[in-house]
């Protein structure tokens, strides 16, 4: 039997590669044309108008909570809201409020908020409520009203102007409100737009709204608009728990975008991030949808989150989806009323959630999880029955062939993962950066996809040869049973059967994925359905029904893969793109883990996608004259990509895809002395020697001086020599007294933060069981169960410029801590409290370094990171027998 032509292999690979690129491009990159106000009309959505809002807000520069620039941004939003109110049609009621939230405590405790207490103060938000005149009259008369909440945040991190996060969504909401104000006369339900602040400091703005504003009592559904990049398509990445919102969105959205696989990843904790939707769901008990822009995720929270990078059509896409949705739900007679499902005592698990995904961004499929479970279980049962029948009919030969097919899958994964992760492991030692592909994502095709594909082929081919030998022996013993129409010998039959078993191994692989996904109730298990059923149907049509005695028909793979590629290939590429962008901010504690770990995660994801998708293509190569050409080609692609990296032919970072660093002046109070130095660390994997040399200032890099920033630790960083400090206004911790009554020891600590309205405090939970916090207005945090992580509870405070700066903290000790002294200074045995107070200011010494920053570097902002000036103070615990420093002893009452 002649070997398969190499042209067939080429055509199959071209089909898969070109099809994948085409699906990805159409599903995620094709955006609608931006409409002018004239083209959109008074009731339509105009991106040109929305872009004007985005440009105005982002041109203000960074506007974090507590800054004067944020007040300017809020005034802009408020002015735009009042213009909408003034220009609304006469039969439409538009209410505008500037809401000043009281001091509060964010009570979130799940996910990344475990072991933390968040306190906020002096925050302002802008609200717009649009309803018909009749609905407004009903509300004023005390009758119950129902509303949908649409939310975005106005504040930014200190390092970014926030064109994407989140001015793009603020702009969309203003344009949506303008359009609704012209056509809300028939509204049965109200639409509330919340422009909140404090989101970047821990979702504080949304928390203050749901716990303090009376309008929350009318909200039945919440929609949050976020950005984890800049522009592109805004897609749903969380929905539910109640499916009403997404079911209605899918009905009317013009170009729906959303994948439940994002929700699965978000819910699993793989993605270490949160949005205001968590507050609406957990605190307010609301259901709804969470949208996000995810294009160019590498710019997130850096200087490159700028208006110039916002792609035309991005805001039009979101606006054309949201406007018909809001019009539909505002006039819907079946809008949820009364208390929501979760607030009635039902857990999220008791609500029948939904599986959702879009097809090429044109329409969205939504169906209940209970139906998905039923379909999955039925398909699994049917597949097991068919495999049992096949094994029963084929006897021992089929049983051994199936066992070897399973072995081929196992060896394919081992070799594919092994080769790609090996490349990731050696990359830091031969490249200037462990992540040289961030600015050029196409490099991962050669660096990881090529070795992953080669490894998958080698692993499968080894078992193919074993299976071929086994079947050759088996058929030589049963030659009389060969098909009469077959003109070859037992060797030819073995070749045919071997490659077909390799193809069927792909169905076994996806059957296992489906079974595991169904057991764990993973919404994205629908991937496995398509990747198992479609190739199985094609195999049945072209191989079984045709009673083919020829090699595997290329149409079996081409037709069998068409539907799976349309449904999932674009999503797979988008996942890899998003992960690559996230590597800019991958490291939580700089220097804690090896540099190759982050790269290995990318390599492993690519290898997994290769194994899952190419399992149906690789069988065609085994009996092909193109085997050696295939091996040679993958090696060449890999070596060329590796050469590009080793020779630095493309930069790792560029102006629009910058490396994230934090350069901060540290002021540390130790005993009676106050010293200062400048520190630089990075959330991007890799060393900082090149950056330190460019910036000057005597920066020295290494692991010798690990520094505790309270909310994280920099195990690897760069630092200058001590600079000294003359400013007398330094945030500090002072012991106010110590008492013990009825076995409950309490220590009073005065916290003074001076000019800082953003600070975090670490409390040693090995010594302290509970604590209370008060300010001049009264008690903020009362006694109650406090949890910790690795022996520490982190308290974070953030607020406006009029926030309190003096607090009283009462510590309640564990019983076994009685008698220990609290020491001010650096001579204690163990840290009890550690304070970091942040000020968004630049000293002359720091300015000399910052002005030398190359365009491919950017400051990075997040809630756990310090501003450019950070003050530190510490209280220690000492053995009572020691007399050192300033201490407080126990006084019985």
């Amino acid at each position: 039997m002649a070997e398969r032509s190499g042209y067939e292999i080429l055509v199959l690979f071209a089909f898969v590669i070109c099809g994948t690129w085409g699906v990805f491009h159409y599903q995620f990159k094709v955006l609608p044309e931006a409409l002018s106000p004239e083209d959109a009309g008074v009731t339509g959505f105009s991106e040109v108008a929305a872009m004007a809002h985005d440009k105005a807000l982002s041109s203000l520069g960074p506007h974090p909570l507590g800054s004067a620039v944020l007040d300017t941004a809020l005034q802009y939003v408020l002015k735009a809201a009042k213009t909408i109110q003034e220009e609304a049609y006469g039969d439409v009621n538009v209410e505008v409020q500037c809401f000043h939230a009281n001091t509060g405590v964010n009570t979130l405790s799940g996910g990344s908020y475990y072991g933390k207490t968040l306190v906020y103060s002096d925050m302002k938000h802008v609200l717009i409520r649009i309803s018909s005149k009749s609905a407004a009259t009903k509300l004023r008369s005390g009758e119950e009203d129902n509303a949908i909440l649409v939310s975005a945040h106005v504040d930014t991190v200190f390092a970014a102007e926030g064109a994407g996060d989140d001015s793009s969504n603020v702009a969309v909401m203003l344009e949506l409100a303008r359009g609704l104000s012209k056509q809300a006369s028939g509204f049965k339900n109200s639409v509330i737009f919340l422009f909140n602040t404090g989101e970047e400091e821990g979702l504080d703005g949304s928390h203050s709204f749901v716990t303090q504003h009376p309008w929350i009592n009318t909200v039945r559904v919440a929609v949050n608009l976020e950005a984890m990049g800049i522009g592109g398509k805004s897609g749903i990445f969380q929905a539910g728990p109640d499916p009403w919102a997404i079911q209605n969105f899918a009905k009317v959205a013009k170009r729906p975008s959303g994948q439940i696989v994002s929700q699965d990843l978000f819910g699993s904790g793989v993605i270490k991030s949160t949005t205001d939707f968590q507050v609406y769901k957990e605190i307010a008990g609301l259901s709804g949808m969470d949208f996000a822009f995810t294009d160019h995720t590498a710019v997130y929270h850096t200087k490159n989150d700028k208006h110039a990078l916002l792609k035309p059509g991005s805001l039009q896409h979101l606006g054309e989806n949201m406007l018909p949705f809001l019009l539909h739900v505002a006039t819907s007679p079946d809008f949820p009323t009364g208390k929501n499902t979760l607030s009635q005592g039902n857990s999220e698990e008791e609500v029948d959630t939904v599986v959702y995904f879009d097809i090429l961004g044109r329409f969205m499929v939504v169906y209940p999880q209970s139906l998905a479970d039923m379909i999955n279980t039925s398909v699994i049962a049917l597949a097991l029955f068919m495999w049992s029948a096949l094994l029963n009919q084929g006897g021992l030969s089929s049983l051994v062939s199936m066992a070897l097919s399973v072995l081929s899958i196992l060896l394919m994964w081992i070799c594919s993962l092994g080769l790609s992760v090996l490349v990731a492991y050696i990359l830091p030692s031969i490249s200037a950066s462990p992540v040289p592909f961030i600015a050029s994502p196409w490099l991962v095709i050669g660096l990881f996809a090529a070795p992953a594909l080669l490894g998958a082929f080698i692993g499968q081919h080894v078992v193919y040869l074993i299976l071929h030998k086994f079947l050759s022996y088996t058929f030589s013993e049963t030659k009389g049973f060969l098909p009469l129409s077959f003109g070859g010998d037992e060797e030819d039959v073995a070749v045919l059967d071997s490659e077909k078993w390799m193809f069927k191994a792909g169905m076994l692989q996806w059957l296992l994925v489906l079974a595991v996904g169904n057991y764990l109730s993973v919404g994205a298990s629908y991937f496995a359905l398509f990747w198992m059923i479609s190739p199985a149907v094609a195999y049945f049509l072209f191989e079984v029904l045709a009673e083919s005695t020829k090699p595997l028909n290329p149409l079996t793979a081409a037709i069998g893969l068409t539907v799976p590629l349309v449904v999932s290939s674009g999503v797979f590429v988008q996942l890899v793109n998003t992960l690559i962008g996230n590597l800019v901010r991958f490291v939580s504690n700089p220097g804690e883990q090896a540099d190759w770990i982050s790269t290995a995660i990318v390599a492993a994801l690519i290898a997994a996608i290769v194994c899952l998708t190419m399992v149906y293509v690789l069988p065609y190569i085994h009996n092909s004259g193109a085997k050696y050409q295939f091996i040679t080609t993958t090696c060449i692609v890999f070596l060329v990509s590796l050469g590009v990296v080793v020779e630095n032919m493309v930069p790792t970072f560029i102006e629009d895809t910058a490396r994230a660093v934090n350069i901060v002046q540290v002021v540390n109070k130790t005993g009676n002395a106050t010293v200062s130095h400048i520190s630089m660390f990075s959330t991007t994997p890799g060393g900082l020697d090149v950056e330190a040399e460019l910036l000057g200032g005597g920066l020295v890099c290494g692991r010798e001086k690990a520094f505790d920033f309270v909310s994280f630790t920099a195990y690897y960083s760069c630092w200058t020599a001590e600079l000294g400090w003359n400013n007398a206004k330094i945030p500090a911790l002072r012991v106010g007294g110590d008492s013990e009554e009825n076995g409950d020891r309490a220590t009073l600590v005065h916290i003074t933060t001076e000019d800082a309205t953003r600070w975090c405090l670490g409390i040693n939970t090995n010594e302290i069981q509970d604590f209370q916090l008060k300010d001049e207005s009264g008690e903020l945090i009362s006694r109650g169960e406090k949890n910790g992580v690795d022996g520490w509870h982190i308290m974070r405070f953030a607020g406006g410029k009029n926030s309190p700066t003096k607090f009283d903290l009462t510590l309640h000790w564990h019983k076994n801590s009685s008698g220990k002294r609290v020491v001010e200074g650096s001579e204690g045995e163990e840290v009890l409290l550690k304070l970091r107070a942040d000020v968004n200011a630049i000293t002359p010494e720091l300015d000399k370094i910052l002005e030398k920053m190359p365009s491919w570097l950017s400051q990075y902002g997040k809630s756990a990171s310090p501003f450019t000036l950070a003050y530190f103070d510490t209280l220690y615990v000492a053995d009572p027998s020691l007399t050192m420093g300033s201490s407080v002893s126990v006084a019985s009452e």
Side-chain angles (χ1 to χ4, degrees):
M1 184 177 61
E3 289 185 330
R4 187 187 304 277
S5 168
Y7 291 109
E8 291 185 13
I9 308 301
L10 182 62
V11 170
L12 276 179
F13 272 91
F15 170 77
V16 173
I17 294 171
C18 295
T20 297
W21 182 88
V23 169
F24 168 70
H25 179 77
Y26 190 83
Q27 187 170 10
F28 292 100
K29 298 300 181 181
V30 175
L31 296 168
E33 181 183 356
L35 297 182
S36 65
E38 295 74 22
D39 293 334
V42 293
T43 59
F45 183 92
S46 166
E47 178 180 286
V48 173
M51 276 288 200
H53 293 309
D54 183 89
K55 185 175 183 179
L57 289 169
S58 58
S59 65
L60 297 174
H63 35 280
L65 184 65
S67 66
V69 187
L70 180 58
D71 291 338
T72 304
L74 279 172
Q75 285 302 313
Y76 176 89
V77 174
L78 182 61
K79 182 179 178 181
K82 289 184 176 179
T83 300
I84 292 170
Q85 183 183 41
E86 293 167 0
E87 297 178 356
Y89 283 3
D91 52 354
V92 177
N93 185 70
V94 177
E95 299 173 72
V96 175
Q97 286 189 13
C98 183
F99 172 55
H100 192 169
N102 298 321
T103 301
V105 179
N106 195 328
T107 53
L108 285 172
S109 59
S112 59
Y113 290 94
Y114 185 83
K116 296 181 178 68
T117 300
L118 278 63
V119 186
Y120 54 82
S121 180
D122 189 34
M123 294 190 305
K124 297 176 182 177
H125 320 306
V126 174
L127 293 107
I128 304 175
R129 187 184 189 108
I130 300 177
S131 58
S132 62
K133 290 287 188 182
S134 58
T137 302
K138 182 170 62 175
L139 180 62
R140 284 192 293 268
S141 65
E143 296 183 43
E144 187 178 73
D145 186 32
N146 301 300
I148 181 172
L149 173 70
V150 186
S151 171
H153 63 91
V154 183
D155 62 312
T156 72
V157 296
F158 83 95
E161 64 184 45
D165 183 22
D166 198 24
S167 294
S168 59
N169 288 307
V170 169
V172 167
M173 285 168 49
L174 287 172
E175 177 62 5
L176 287 171
R178 183 206 59 78
L180 293 179
S181 69
K182 309 295 185 181
Q183 51 189 322
S185 58
F187 279 13
K188 296 180 175 64
N189 313 296
S190 301
V191 180
I192 298 174
F193 293 97
L194 168 64
F195 304 86
N196 72 68
T197 63
E199 191 273 348
E200 297 292 5
E201 298 299 337
L203 318 182
D204 294 334
S206 56
H207 187 276
S208 67
F209 171 75
V210 302
T211 55
Q212 298 181 26
H213 200 281
W215 283 359
I216 188 62
N217 297 321
T218 67
V219 175
R220 313 302 174 209
V221 176
V223 175
N224 185 57
L225 304 181
E226 256 295 353
M228 297 178 187
I230 185 165
K233 290 188 175 181
S234 180
I236 303 169
F237 69 100
Q238 291 188 99
D242 188 278
W244 187 89
I246 192 169
Q247 287 172 339
N248 282 272
F249 177 82
K251 290 178 184 177
V252 298
K254 192 173 182 179
R255 299 178 180 88
S257 180
Q259 299 289 336
I260 196 172
V261 64
S262 302
Q263 180 170 315
D264 290 335
L265 291 172
F266 217 81
S268 69
V270 171
I271 300 176
K272 303 295 183 182
S273 184
T274 54
T275 71
D276 283 332
F277 189 68
Q278 183 177 350
V279 172
Y280 301 136
K281 189 168 71 169
E282 293 185 17
I283 305 300
L286 296 168
S287 292
M289 297 180 292
D290 204 1
F291 289 78
F293 290 110
T294 56
D295 210 22
H296 206 356
T297 55
V299 311
Y300 180 70
H301 284 189
T302 70
K303 68 180 180 65
N304 288 318
D305 187 3
K306 54 190 178 183
H307 182 76
L309 293 183
L310 186 54
K311 291 181 180 178
S314 301
L315 306 191
Q316 192 71 41
H317 174 264
L318 178 57
E320 289 185 355
N321 284 334
M322 287 300 301
L323 184 58
F325 169 68
L326 293 177
L327 288 170
H328 174 73
V329 299
T331 57
S332 174
D334 65 338
F335 192 80
T337 58
K339 290 187 176 181
N340 55 72
T341 304
L342 296 185
S343 64
Q344 291 174 346
N346 296 322
S347 67
E348 186 173 335
E349 289 75 15
E350 293 174 322
V351 180
D352 191 6
T353 57
V354 292
V355 174
Y356 59 90
F357 55 93
D358 71 87
I359 303 294
L360 298 177
R362 300 306 301 174
F363 62 92
M364 180 168 281
V365 178
V366 181
Y367 55 96
Q369 182 65 52
S370 58
L371 177 60
D373 293 339
M374 184 177 67
I375 293 173
N376 294 345
T377 303
S378 301
V379 170
I380 292 170
L382 179 60
L384 291 175
F385 172 78
M386 295 179 69
W387 277 106
S388 300
L390 175 64
L391 295 178
N392 184 61
Q393 183 181 15
L396 180 61
S397 174
S398 292
L399 184 62
V400 174
S401 298
M402 179 179 178
L404 289 173
S405 299
V406 173
L407 179 61
S408 75
I409 295 297
L410 181 61
L411 202 57
M412 176 183 71
W413 278 84
I414 292 173
C415 293
S416 183
L417 286 168
L419 280 182
S420 57
V421 172
L422 177 62
V423 174
Y425 178 76
I426 66 174
L427 207 54
S429 61
I430 61 175
S431 169
S433 169
V435 286
F437 45 82
I438 283 185
S440 307
W442 53 268
L443 277 173
V444 301
I445 298 173
L447 291 175
F448 306 126
L453 187 60
L454 179 60
F457 171 72
I458 292 173
Q460 196 181 84
H461 191 66
V462 168
V463 181
Y464 168 83
L465 295 176
I466 298 172
L467 178 59
H468 175 256
K469 285 186 176 296
F470 167 74
L471 292 176
S472 295
Y473 171 78
T474 302
F475 290 137
S476 68
E477 297 296 319
T478 59
K479 187 172 182 179
F481 296 98
L482 293 177
L484 294 176
S485 60
F486 185 71
D489 57 17
E490 63 272 9
E491 185 71 17
D492 295 336
V493 178
V495 169
L496 297 179
D497 222 37
S498 296
E499 67 177 11
K500 290 180 179 179
W501 270 108
M502 292 294 101
F503 188 92
K504 289 185 285 188
M507 303 177 206
L508 281 173
Q509 172 184 258
W510 282 105
L511 175 60
L512 177 62
V513 173
L514 179 62
V516 173
N518 188 57
Y519 176 76
L520 298 175
S521 295
V522 176
S525 297
Y526 75 88
F527 282 151
L529 278 178
F530 287 106
W531 279 95
M532 185 179 73
I533 293 176
S534 183
V537 171
Y539 184 86
F540 180 76
L541 292 176
F542 293 102
E543 307 296 337
V544 178
L545 283 185
E547 296 183 352
S548 174
T549 55
K550 297 179 180 180
L552 267 173
N553 192 335
L555 287 176
T556 303
I559 294 178
L561 293 181
T562 298
V563 173
L565 288 175
V566 168
V567 170
S568 63
S569 62
V571 179
F572 292 156
V573 175
Q574 181 71 355
L575 282 175
V576 174
N577 259 345
T578 303
L579 178 57
I580 291 173
N582 276 313
L583 292 187
V584 168
R585 54 187 180 277
F586 181 81
V587 182
S588 299
N589 297 286
E592 183 180 31
Q593 61 189 26
D595 286 337
W596 64 272
I597 296 294
S598 57
T599 310
I601 294 173
V602 175
L605 174 61
I606 292 173
I609 292 173
V610 166
C611 290
L612 288 170
T613 58
M614 300 306 290
V615 68
Y616 293 116
V617 177
L618 293 177
Y620 289 85
I621 306 176
H622 300 304
N623 181 42
S624 167
K627 285 192 292 290
Y628 300 109
Q629 291 93 327
F630 169 78
I631 294 172
T632 301
T633 302
T634 53
C635 289
I636 290 174
V637 171
F638 166 67
L639 291 174
V640 169
S641 301
L642 193 63
V644 168
V645 169
V646 172
E647 296 299 324
N648 288 321
M649 297 174 68
V650 294
T652 301
F653 304 101
I654 57 177
E655 182 175 356
D656 290 343
T657 307
R659 181 177 189 177
V661 297
N662 282 93
I663 304 175
V664 54
Q665 181 138 11
V666 172
V667 180
N668 199 7
K669 187 176 181 300
T670 55
N672 295 323
T674 300
V675 295
S676 169
H677 71 274
I678 294 174
S679 175
M680 177 173 68
F681 55 89
S682 178
T683 56
T684 310
L688 290 166
D689 293 320
V690 173
E691 289 82 351
E693 185 177 351
L694 287 172
L695 296 174
L699 285 166
V700 178
C701 303
R703 299 176 179 271
E704 296 81 12
K705 294 186 178 181
F707 196 88
D708 187 349
F709 282 88
V710 181
S711 55
F712 67 95
T713 300
Y715 296 99
Y716 171 85
S717 64
C718 305
W719 59 89
T720 64
E722 291 185 358
L723 302 173
W725 192 257
N726 297 320
N727 190 340
K729 296 178 65 177
I730 298 176
L733 300 171
R734 293 289 180 267
V735 180
D738 196 285
S739 63
E740 186 169 346
E741 183 178 6
N742 298 325
D744 179 20
R745 181 188 175 188
T747 299
L748 176 64
V749 177
H750 301 300
I751 304 174
T752 304
T753 63
E754 300 295 349
D755 295 331
T757 58
R758 181 187 194 255
W759 51 268
C760 60
L761 181 74
I763 302 172
N764 187 337
T765 55
N766 294 322
E767 301 289 346
I768 303 302
Q769 184 179 41
D770 201 355
F771 60 86
Q772 298 165 271
L773 182 72
K774 297 179 180 179
D775 69 356
E776 57 188 15
S777 66
E779 187 173 66
L780 303 178
I781 302 174
S782 58
R783 295 193 68 172
E785 183 178 352
K786 308 292 194 305
N787 46 44
V789 176
D790 297 327
W792 291 95
H793 185 96
I794 303 298
M795 183 195 306
R796 294 211 311 251
F797 179 93
K801 56 181 178 291
N802 295 319
S803 298
T805 57
K806 294 183 179 180
F807 304 86
D808 287 337
L809 176 69
T810 303
L811 304 174
H812 299 275
W813 298 68
H814 286 291
K815 300 296 182 183
N816 58 2
S817 297
S818 179
K820 293 185 178 180
R821 291 176 176 269
V822 182
V823 181
E824 297 175 1
S826 59
E827 302 179 53
E829 297 176 337
E830 184 181 10
V831 174
L832 179 67
L833 297 177
K834 47 187 181 181
L835 171 70
R836 187 192 83 213
D838 301 328
V839 177
N840 193 16
I842 298 176
T843 64
E845 298 91 344
L846 183 61
D847 189 48
K848 290 179 181 179
I849 291 179
L850 293 179
E851 67 183 8
K852 297 178 183 177
M853 283 184 69
S855 60
W856 49 269
L857 272 186
S858 171
Q859 291 271 49
Y860 174 68
K862 68 175 183 177
S863 59
S865 297
F867 283 167
T868 49
L869 179 60
Y871 295 92
F872 292 84
D873 197 10
T874 308
L875 293 183
Y876 295 85
V877 177
D879 188 281
S881 63
L882 302 177
T883 57
M884 55 181 74
S886 174
S887 62
V888 174
S889 58
V890 177
S892 299
E893 293 184 354

